[in-house]
Structures are given as structure tokens and as C-alpha cells.
Amino acid sequence: AQSVSQHNHHVILSEAASLELGCNYSYGGTVNLFWYVQYPGQHLQLLLKYFSGDPLVKGIKGFEAEFIKSKFSFNLRKPSVQWSDTAEYFCAVNARDTDKLIFGTGTRLQVFP
Amino acid sequence: DVKVTQSSRYLVKRTGEKVFLECVQDMDHENMFWYRQDPGLGLRLIYFSYDVKMKEKGDIPEGYSVSREKKERFSLILESASTNQTSMYLCASSQRGEQFFGPGTRLTVL
């Protein structure tokens, strides 16, 4: 069965610090990969996605993620976080032939000024 | 922009009541999904639908049913609400892999 692991449940950073959130998945076939973000009181929205091509994907608000197929990983990065990045971040994966997403348990990021 | 709307942001019901959560999308997407979101558990799929009148169970369908009479509308039904169904319920629609989410309904069952 497919699964998604997010290793960091709660991350606390100061503004300007660098961010890397881990995501690993288990699935033997071809996948699409996503990072979603949920800001406090807001709905879940797409941060970035990987379907094919360049494994380094750039998303909104300065976020990027790198797909490493050999490691089944899709880690999220940002070189310098801001207070407004405080949110919950979810990694998700689906098999190429389906729209059904499997989500990780989420990482809560708190950024202090 | 894709818009997914849910009928209520907050709902309070009593144990044993029948509860209807409505979701409407305006982008003619074929696929629609219902999740519940709980702290530390992420999003768990309850039911999904790939077409009108078609439904498939997700990972946690027990205690829930769904209805999809029209393409744009996907309803989640709690036949007899219980306290362990207190949660945030998220609806999504998708086409070609990417899912778009509604604002969520926070349901409290007393």
C-alpha cells in the first residue's frame, strides 16, 4: 500500500533561518508529488507539484522541492523563512493513473520574528 | 480560479442526529473527495467519486455515506452522528492529478 512519511511533526525557526521539511513515500510505480500548505484559519492550498521533468520544482512564495527518485523523497526547502510562513505543511502523492491522494500527517511550522 | 464551496464553516450536532455536509465545485471536475482532518493524523480519505452516481470507499468510510446526483455536488452524510466524528471535514475536486480544496466544515458532535 502507498504511504507518505513526514519526519518532522513540529518545527520552530527564527525568521531568516533556512527550512527543509522531509517527505518520503512508498510506492513502486510512477507518481505525482505535491506539497500543500494550510495557513491558520485558511483552506488547504497547493504550494508546488511535480509530475515529470526537472526534479527541482519551484513553487509559490519562494518554496522549492527536489524529487530524488532513488530515495523516494520529495523534500521541501526555503532558504530564508518569514513569520508569514507559519502554517501546517502536507506532503502528498498519487499514482499516475489516479487522482486519489495519499497525505502525510503534516508538519507544523512556527516562525518567530 | 477553481472554487470549491462547503455549506457550513461550523456545525454543532447532537449524538444520533443525521448530518449532511454539502460540497459544490464550479470547474466541471469529474473527481470529488471527502476527507477528515485531525491533529497528528493528517488528512484521511473517507469517500471519493469519479463520476455522477459513482462512489468508492476511502480509508475510513465507516459511519459515513455519500451522494453524487449531479457532477458539481458531492454530499457527505453521517447517518447517526457520534462524538468520535467531531472533526474538520474537507471536500476537494480534481482533474489531472491536482486537488482543489474547500474551506472545510468544523463539525462538533455533542
Side-chain angles (χ1 to χ4, degrees):
Chain A
Q2 294 180 53
S3 66
V4 177
S5 297
Q6 292 184 241
H7 318 295
N8 318 101
H9 299 293
H10 190 190
V11 174
I12 301 172
L13 294 173
S14 298
E15 273 192 322
S18 64
L19 171 72
E20 180 158 3
L21 301 182
C23 174
N24 287 89
Y25 67 94
S26 67
Y27 182 70
T30 306
V31 295
N32 299 321
L33 296 152
F34 306 82
W35 275 97
Y36 282 86
V37 60
Q38 189 173 37
Y39 297 104
Q42 296 189 26
H43 65 275
L44 211 61
Q45 55 187 287
L46 183 70
L47 202 54
L48 49 77
K49 62 188 177 187
Y50 172 80
F51 283 8
S52 63
D54 188 345
L56 185 61
V57 180
K58 295 201 184 293
I60 60 171
K61 304 189 181 188
F63 285 91
E64 66 179 30
E66 185 175 12
F67 171 48
I68 303 178
K69 191 175 180 180
S70 60
K71 294 184 177 180
F72 297 89
S73 70
F74 191 55
N75 292 353
L76 181 71
R77 299 195 293 248
K78 186 171 184 179
S80 176
V81 294
Q82 300 173 308
W83 176 79
S84 58
D85 293 324
T86 293
E88 190 152 19
Y89 293 81
F90 294 93
C91 181
V93 60
N94 66 10
R96 277 293 165 82
D97 57 353
T98 175
D99 279 12
K100 183 181 159 188
L101 280 177
I102 306 297
F103 281 86
T105 53
T107 297
R108 185 175 164 222
L109 172 66
Q110 282 184 289
V111 180
F112 288 96
Chain B
D1 267 359
V2 176
K3 198 147 191 178
V4 180
T5 56
Q6 295 183 229
S7 50
S8 308
R9 289 300 301 270
Y10 300 94
L11 208 53
V12 179
K13 296 292 181 180
R14 296 207 174 274
T15 301
E17 280 193 79
K18 191 168 186 175
V19 182
F20 293 87
L21 302 182
E22 304 285 342
C23 175
V24 177
Q25 51 98 0
D26 67 357
M27 282 302 292
D28 203 36
H29 285 168
E30 293 181 354
N31 309 318
M32 296 188 75
F33 306 81
W34 274 106
Y35 296 89
R36 62 177 284 177
Q37 182 182 7
D38 299 288
L41 297 178
L43 277 73
R44 293 179 292 166
L45 182 64
I46 305 171
Y47 266 98
F48 59 105
S49 169
Y50 286 148
D51 202 351
V52 174
K53 296 193 185 292
M54 177 271 172
K55 59 188 178 185
E56 282 196 38
K57 292 180 180 179
D59 301 318
I60 51 164
E62 296 79 18
Y64 303 95
S65 62
V66 289
S67 171
R68 190 153 182 214
E69 297 294 321
K70 293 185 178 181
K71 192 174 185 180
E72 68 270 18
R73 188 180 297 270
F74 191 35
S75 303
L76 180 69
I77 303 155
L78 285 66
E79 298 290 342
S80 177
S82 63
T83 54
N84 63 11
Q85 292 178 309
T86 291
S87 186
M88 172 71 87
Y89 290 88
L90 299 180
C91 175
S93 71
S94 79
Q95 196 132 307
R96 292 189 296 275
E98 182 179 339
Q99 290 193 14
F100 299 86
F101 286 84
T105 296
R106 185 166 293 283
L107 172 67
T108 302
V109 183
L110 302 176

